[in-house]
Amino acid sequence: MPYYQQPLDVTAQPIWQALQAHRTSLQNFSMREAFANDPQRFSTFSLSGCGLFLDYSKNLMTTETRDLLVKLARDVDLQAAIDAMFRGEHLNASEGRPALHTALRRPIGDKVLVEGVDVMPQVQQVLNKMTALVGSVHDGLWRGYTDKPITDVVNIGIGGSFLGPQLVSEALLPFAQRGVRCHYLANIDGSSFHDLAAKLRAETTLFIVSSKSFSTLETLKNAQAARAWYLAQGGSEAELYRHFIAVSSNTTAAVAFGIREENIFPMWDWVGGRYSLWSAIGLPIAMTIGMSNFKELLSGAYSMDRHFQTAPFEQNMPVLMALLGVWYGNFWGAQSQAILPYDHYLRNITKHLQQLDMESNGKSVMQDGNPVNCATGPVIWGGVGCNGQHAYHQLLHQGTLLIPADFIVPVVSYNPVADHHQWLYANCLSQSQALMLGKSFSEAQAELRNQGMDEAKIAELAPHKVIPGNRPSNTLVLERISPRRLGALVALYEHKVFTQSVIWGINAFDQWGVELGKELGKGVYSRLTGTEQNGAEDASTQGLIDFFRARHRG
Ligand code: F6P
């Protein structure tokens, strides 16, 4: 029986007990000492691949830790799971589907079978359709209702139909072409639509309604608002096709909305929302950077796919990062993971990785429905590293929680201003160094003594200046952001998340947890707006409904 139908309870495996014993033996492990004792530590615990360099030497680990973690990956038969994913087996068992986002970045000529049908020709067809659309918008051939070329593209979508495209199109702005501006409309909050509409002219705006299901409330409401706005600005129903296109696997619903069938870009149920930026959901990316750069993005991701499939686990970037996550989450009690990009263009990566990781691995039952016996996905948080240094990094350095951090930094800036990039890079390195080194009590005392402080005051102040250190981080270095490297970087995290799901025996590709709120939302909405205002199942919700109704009465 395939592993995903009958996953192992990893906590019952001998390797789990071995890791627990090893963790106890590392109770007094000091990274400071490990670096002092081993000049090779940096080269032992670093590797490059796919245009990325990973330094994972600042972790609470020895070579024995790595060996044990790699054994864990072998004992759960990770390689079989990787092969099964790329082959298109039904890894998303609760939805009875494969997870084949990797097919979207495979080279022409490859074959990938879904239910016996090679899907690669369809993938290629959609890429060709995207090429034609992007070309005609960029060349000014796609015209609005007053015959003017398109200047602004608005992606109406949420979750995976927003976060990935937004990350990549904004990260690759140095590759932007032909001045088409891309905007994103996700939130159902009318203020979001209001502020965006104020910047646009209907006659030169193209809306992409981006929704795999074409049933997402926020997206449909925003699409209706956009259509009403377009009509109010002078557009007509007859010319709607010049201004509204869609990306969806639900053609019927998109046509019912009023989108011409030839303007619908297909999606497939074997691509999950948070893994979909590589499909036509990536249209705003392609609109921003052009199709040849979009294909570079795909090939960067493909290079990471190959690395993930073929590199031995000891030198496999996503596997190592996943194992370190398991190490901290399951053996050191870490509950969150900070993602800290030191790059303006990567400012949205934390939000994308938050959905990717938390929607994938925020699960508490295994594939077979049995409860999982250990912690699963962590809270992913963070943001632009340089800004965080003057805000939440305090907790990273001196708080009581252990929070592993990933630093991401390019060596070269697209926009050098004086010595800013040198300082930015220095900031990044000094943060991971400070997390690792910390400042001991005697160092704090010596520092204060050097400032000429009297002993009584030193005794009072020194404890506040102590920084425990020994806090783990990875540093990912890129030469500079490019479509290829960004493709590899995003795919790296996709595979990291998948690897962890295999270890825990959970399904990384469903998201049933988000459904209940959607269901309950319908009842709450009808009590807010309808004649039947009572009947909420709890007094808190009913009280809050009453509060709203009282304000909106009459
Ligand atoms: O509600 C969660 C979710 O289904 C995500 O998984 C998905 O990325 C997002 O909503 C948007 O879904 P759709 O593309 O179908 O509108």
Side-chain angles (χ1 to χ4, degrees):
M1 189 177 287
Y3 84 95
Y4 49 87
Q5 282 170 19
Q6 203 168 43
L8 289 175
D9 172 4
V10 69
T11 65
Q13 304 307 306
I15 184 61
W16 200 262
Q17 327 310 325
L19 276 159
Q20 271 167 338
H22 179 63
R23 157 69 182 92
T24 308
S25 76
L26 289 191
Q27 190 54 33
N28 297 317
F29 177 80
S30 153
M31 274 193 261
R32 250 195 210 215
E33 282 170 24
F35 274 103
N37 295 337
D38 178 8
Q40 297 306 314
R41 187 171 169 88
F42 174 66
S43 57
T44 305
F45 296 123
S46 59
L47 75 155
S48 356
C50 312
L52 310 177
F53 177 78
L54 169 66
D55 168 21
Y56 64 103
S57 59
K58 292 191 185 95
N59 276 294
L60 297 163
M61 71 185 297
T62 62
T63 48
E64 189 189 352
T65 319
R66 183 172 61 189
D67 293 347
L68 288 168
L69 288 169
V70 164
K71 181 163 173 12
L72 171 69
R74 296 219 168 91
D75 285 5
V76 298
D77 212 353
L78 173 63
Q79 191 62 51
I82 296 172
D83 295 343
M85 177 174 75
F86 281 87
R87 239 192 345 262
E89 285 188 29
H90 282 198
L91 255 58
N92 182 354
S94 76
E95 296 185 298
R97 299 169 183 170
L100 267 175
H101 44 286
T102 52
L104 301 167
R105 48 227 195 187
R106 288 181 90 132
I108 298 178
D110 272 15
K111 268 190 184 339
V112 179
L113 299 182
V114 175
E115 316 298 344
V117 177
D118 180 13
V119 296
M120 290 308 289
Q122 303 167 42
V123 170
Q124 199 52 49
Q125 264 171 25
V126 175
L127 281 171
N128 293 343
K129 196 172 157 85
M130 289 170 71
T131 306
L133 173 75
V134 171
S136 87
V137 171
H138 283 182
D139 294 343
L141 301 173
W142 185 288
R143 303 265 165 157
Y145 64 86
T146 55
D147 211 33
K148 292 196 179 122
I150 298 300
T151 55
D152 294 86
V153 173
V154 178
N155 186 79
I156 304 180
I158 199 163
S161 301
F162 159 51
L163 294 165
Q166 185 202 35
L167 156 67
V168 177
S169 64
E170 295 189 3
L172 295 178
L173 267 186
F175 295 80
Q177 300 196 347
R178 311 275 178 129
V180 177
R181 290 177 294 263
C182 274
H183 313 268
Y184 291 89
L185 183 58
N187 191 343
I188 199 169
D189 189 331
S191 304
S192 180
F193 178 75
H194 176 268
D195 287 0
L196 175 59
K199 296 183 206 156
L200 302 171
R201 291 159 63 92
E203 57 178 349
T204 54
T205 299
L206 176 64
F207 291 97
I208 308 174
V209 187
S210 205
S211 175
K212 178 178 163 187
S213 59
F214 218 90
S215 67
T216 302
L217 172 79
E218 293 82 353
T219 301
L220 295 187
K221 284 281 162 195
N222 276 327
Q224 284 156 7
R227 183 167 60 185
W229 172 82
Y230 153 84
L231 293 171
Q233 297 286 307
S236 68
E237 288 286 357
E239 307 281 2
L240 195 83
Y241 73 95
R242 294 173 186 262
H243 295 274
F244 285 82
I245 63 171
V247 184
S248 186
S249 58
N250 187 349
T251 310
T252 315
V255 169
F257 176 86
I259 294 176
R260 282 194 179 173
E261 198 155 349
E262 69 263 27
N263 289 340
I264 300 171
F265 289 72
M267 274 243 347
W268 306 277
D269 66 5
W270 40 265
V271 179
R274 53 198 174 273
Y275 300 87
S276 65
L277 71 92
W278 323 99
S279 71
I281 292 284
L283 256 178
I285 301 172
M287 287 286 186
T288 309
I289 62 175
M291 273 314 277
S292 63
N293 283 322
F294 185 76
K295 287 179 185 170
E296 281 286 291
L297 177 83
L298 299 182
S299 56
Y302 178 68
S303 72
M304 184 54 75
D305 294 343
R306 295 298 300 148
H307 169 81
F308 182 49
Q309 279 180 288
T310 59
F313 293 161
E314 293 81 354
Q315 291 150 38
N316 193 310
M317 228 182 258
V319 173
L320 288 169
M321 286 179 66
L323 291 170
L324 283 165
V326 168
W327 180 228
Y328 294 119
N330 295 128
F331 299 92
W332 291 79
Q335 295 192 338
S336 82
Q337 158 85 55
I339 306 284
L340 307 171
Y342 275 72
D343 185 79
H344 172 74
Y345 289 119
L346 286 179
R347 63 193 177 281
N348 289 315
I349 197 166
T350 310
K351 287 192 274 173
H352 175 63
L353 298 185
Q354 191 173 57
Q355 185 198 12
L356 175 67
D357 202 321
M358 295 174 76
E359 205 176 46
S360 297
N361 284 346
K363 311 283 164 65
S364 26
V365 294
M366 293 193 289
Q367 288 265 21
D368 60 6
N370 284 313
V372 69
N373 287 325
C374 60
T376 57
V379 174
I380 303 292
W381 66 281
V384 174
C386 186
N387 301 353
Q389 285 178 211
H390 300 273
Y392 45 74
H393 282 218
Q394 165 62 33
L395 186 145
L396 294 179
H397 291 293
Q398 281 191 315
T400 51
L401 303 172
L402 176 78
I403 303 177
D406 283 357
F407 291 88
I408 308 174
V409 64
V411 180
V412 180
S413 167
Y414 279 104
N415 303 297
V417 173
D419 57 356
H420 289 206
H421 194 67
Q422 287 80 344
W423 274 114
L424 184 69
Y425 197 83
N427 273 358
C428 177
L429 270 49
S430 58
Q431 286 298 305
S432 67
Q433 190 180 37
L435 283 169
M436 186 269 285
L437 289 178
K439 189 184 284 178
S440 67
F441 188 68
S442 54
E443 284 168 339
Q445 284 177 313
E447 188 182 277
L448 295 172
R449 238 168 246 135
N450 279 344
Q451 292 165 15
M453 199 171 279
D454 66 61
E455 287 301 318
K457 191 76 187 153
I458 290 173
E460 204 181 290
L461 251 186
H464 298 277
K465 294 238 169 189
V466 170
I467 296 176
N470 224 21
R471 301 206 163 172
S473 66
N474 295 315
T475 302
L476 275 162
V477 186
L478 297 74
E479 205 246 346
R480 64 180 182 173
I481 311 300
S482 70
R484 275 185 92 83
R485 293 186 200 110
L486 185 59
L489 180 65
V490 176
L492 162 67
Y493 278 96
E494 288 179 353
H495 296 324
K496 173 198 159 175
V497 166
F498 172 63
T499 297
Q500 293 183 333
S501 76
V502 173
I503 291 168
W504 295 320
I506 60 179
N507 180 353
F509 301 109
D510 61 8
Q511 57 285 317
W512 298 106
V514 298
E515 294 306 321
L516 178 61
K518 294 183 193 173
E519 272 308 306
L520 294 178
K522 292 177 198 157
V524 172
Y525 174 83
S526 72
R527 286 186 192 100
L528 286 178
T529 56
T531 43
E532 184 46 73
Q533 53 185 287
N534 297 315
E537 279 170 26
D538 65 277
S540 163
T541 309
Q542 187 62 55
L544 296 167
I545 289 171
D546 295 344
F547 195 86
F548 186 92
R549 285 191 74 118
R551 174 63 185 77
H552 290 275
R553 195 169 290 137

